[in-house]
Amino acid sequence: RAKQDGRGILRFFSPELTARAKARLALEVELRHAIEGDELLLYYQPQTDLASGETVGLEALVRWRHPARGMIQPGDFIPLAEESGLVVPLGDWVLLTACRQIKAWLDAGLAPCRTAVNVSTVQLSRDHLIESVQHALRETGIPPERLELEITESFLMADREHAFRALAELRALGVRLSIDDFGTGYSSLAYLQRIEIHELKIDISFVRDVTTNLSNASIVKAIIALGHSLGSQIVAEGVETQAQADYLRALHCDMIQGYLVSRPLPVEETTLFLKRIGATCRDAS
Ligand code: C2E
Ligand code: MG
Ligand code: MG
Ligand code: MG
C-alpha cells in the first residue's frame, strides 16, 4: 500500500516537489538569460607567496547579479548549471572574460603571474573545452602560461583515459593545471605521476583547524610533501588567520589564498589591490 508521504516515485508527484521543479525550471530559464545578457561577473581573489609576500596569482570566481534577487553565489547556481548543461556556455563566458581581463592587466603592467579559472567536470568531459580555451587564448593573445585551469579531483576518477587525454591536450596548449579541493576526492596519485600538474590546492576543510587538529595537520603535511616531490606548488585555500599562515609557512606550503589576505574582489577593486600591493611577475614578462 502506498504511503501518503512515501519515498521514491510517489514523492515525485507531490505538490511540494512540483513547485520545486517549477522553481528550478524558472531558475534555469533565468540563468540562460543571465549568460546571454550581462548579469554574470567575475570576482578575483589574490594568491600570495608565503616566502616573499608577493601576489603571484588570482582566482576568478563567478557571481550572478540577479535583477530581482541580488547577488547570487556560485554554490547556488553552479550545480544547476552543471545538471542542465548550461555550465558549458557559462564556462565559455568565464574563460573569455578572464582572458580579456588578464590582457587588460598585462597591458597595464599589473598582471600577476597567473590567473586561475574554475573548470567544471561537465566541461572537461566534452571535447568543446579545448576549442574554448584555444579560442580565448587566440582572441586575447595572452601567453598561455598566464592562464591556469582549476580542475577538481573527482574528474580524474570518472573516466581515467578520457580525463588523461583531455589534460594532456590542455597541457599541450601551454596553460597551467591546478587540482582544486585536493584531498577531498579519491586520491588520484597515479595521475599526478602521469601528467605535469603545476599546483595542488589544499581544501579549506583541512586548513580551517590546521593549527589545532592533529590529523588535519598530518594530512596537510602529507599533501605538501607529496606535491613537492612531484614538482607541484601548494596553495592553501581559505586561510583566515595569521596563525594559520605562520603554521603553513613552517610546513613549507608555497602560497595562501583566503580572507586573511583578501576576500574575492570585483574587477575595479582587484585592480586597486594590484596597484597597491604590486604584482609584477618574475618568471614571465
Ligand atoms: P573553489 O574554487 O574552491 O573556490 C574557493 C571558495 O572559497 C570561493 O567561494 C571563495 O570565495 C571561498 N573562500 C576564499 N577564501 C576563503 C576564506 O578565507 N574562508 C572561507 N570560508 N571561504 C573562502 P565561492 O566564490 O562562493 O565559490 C564556490 C565554488 O563555486 C568554488 O569553489 C568553485 O568550485 C565554484 N565556482 C566559482 N566560480 C566558478 C566558475 O567560474 N566556474 C565553475 N565551474 N565553478 C565555479
Ligand atoms: Mg592558482
Ligand atoms: Mg577553485
Ligand atoms: Mg577549492
Side-chain angles (χ1 to χ4, degrees):
R1 200 168 67 92
K3 289 189 199 139
Q4 283 293 335
D5 62 344
R7 289 178 191 168
I9 291 288
L10 278 179
R11 256 190 85 78
F12 187 76
F13 296 106
S14 75
E16 168 213 344
L17 201 76
T18 307
R20 239 195 298 152
K22 274 187 189 154
R24 232 187 86 106
L25 194 64
L27 192 66
E28 196 181 311
V29 170
E30 289 182 344
L31 182 56
R32 193 181 302 273
H33 174 82
I35 298 166
E36 289 159 4
D38 59 356
E39 292 175 16
L40 295 183
L41 59 166
L42 292 181
Y43 275 42
Y44 294 88
Q45 188 176 35
Q47 294 179 345
T48 306
D49 185 285
L50 270 171
S52 69
E54 285 174 358
T55 307
V56 287
L58 294 169
E59 177 178 8
L61 295 157
V62 72
R63 277 48 187 146
W64 177 5
R65 190 165 38 205
H66 190 282
R69 283 182 244 202
M71 201 68 96
I72 309 181
Q73 301 301 312
D76 294 326
F77 64 93
I78 291 291
L80 174 69
E82 289 181 324
E83 286 160 33
S84 61
L86 283 172
V87 78
V88 172
L90 182 149
D92 288 350
W93 180 88
V94 169
L95 269 168
L96 194 56
T97 305
C99 287
R100 285 179 178 155
Q101 190 57 57
I102 296 169
K103 171 74 172 133
W105 282 324
L106 279 170
D107 288 348
L110 292 170
C113 292
R114 53 192 170 269
T115 298
V117 161
N118 291 281
V119 172
S120 155
T121 296
V122 175
Q123 287 172 274
L124 274 157
S125 60
R126 306 198 186 175
D127 294 330
H128 173 72
L129 179 67
I130 307 290
E131 281 166 47
S132 176
V133 173
Q134 248 170 342
H135 170 72
L137 293 174
R138 210 182 307 123
E139 199 205 278
T140 58
I142 62 164
E145 65 274 14
R146 295 292 191 150
L147 178 66
E148 185 166 70
L149 303 180
E150 292 193 6
I151 289 150
T152 51
E153 219 181 344
S154 58
F155 169 69
L156 304 178
M157 299 307 299
D159 173 352
R160 287 170 166 275
E161 283 315 308
H162 180 271
F164 182 73
R165 272 201 310 281
L167 294 187
E169 280 178 45
L170 289 169
R171 277 296 299 125
L173 294 181
V175 298
R176 289 170 52 100
L177 298 178
S178 170
I179 309 289
D180 207 350
D181 308 334
F182 192 82
T184 57
Y186 300 85
S187 84
S188 33
L189 303 183
Y191 256 99
L192 300 180
Q193 272 186 322
R194 280 179 71 186
I195 197 148
E196 185 191 5
I197 300 289
H198 299 86
E199 183 181 288
L200 302 181
K201 299 189 78 173
I202 305 175
D203 191 65
I204 186 167
S205 59
F206 304 114
V207 173
R208 196 171 287 130
D209 54 1
V210 71
T211 59
T212 53
N213 179 318
L214 278 179
S215 74
N216 280 353
S218 303
I219 291 170
V220 167
K221 276 182 216 171
I223 293 174
I224 293 170
L226 169 76
H228 282 167
S229 74
L230 293 164
S232 306
Q233 289 190 299
I234 314 295
V235 183
E237 294 193 303
V239 175
E240 296 185 358
T241 68
Q242 189 61 49
Q244 289 168 333
D246 292 341
Y247 193 86
L248 289 159
R249 187 187 294 108
L251 297 182
H252 306 293
C253 180
D254 301 289
M255 291 164 273
I256 54 168
Q257 179 181 342
Y259 298 165
L260 174 66
V261 177
S262 171
R263 289 184 174 260
L265 303 169
V267 175
E268 302 73 28
E269 285 180 49
T270 308
T271 301
L272 290 177
F273 180 93
L274 294 171
K275 280 186 181 156
R276 192 156 45 84
I277 306 293
T280 37
C281 183
R282 283 201 208 95
D283 11 308
S285 53

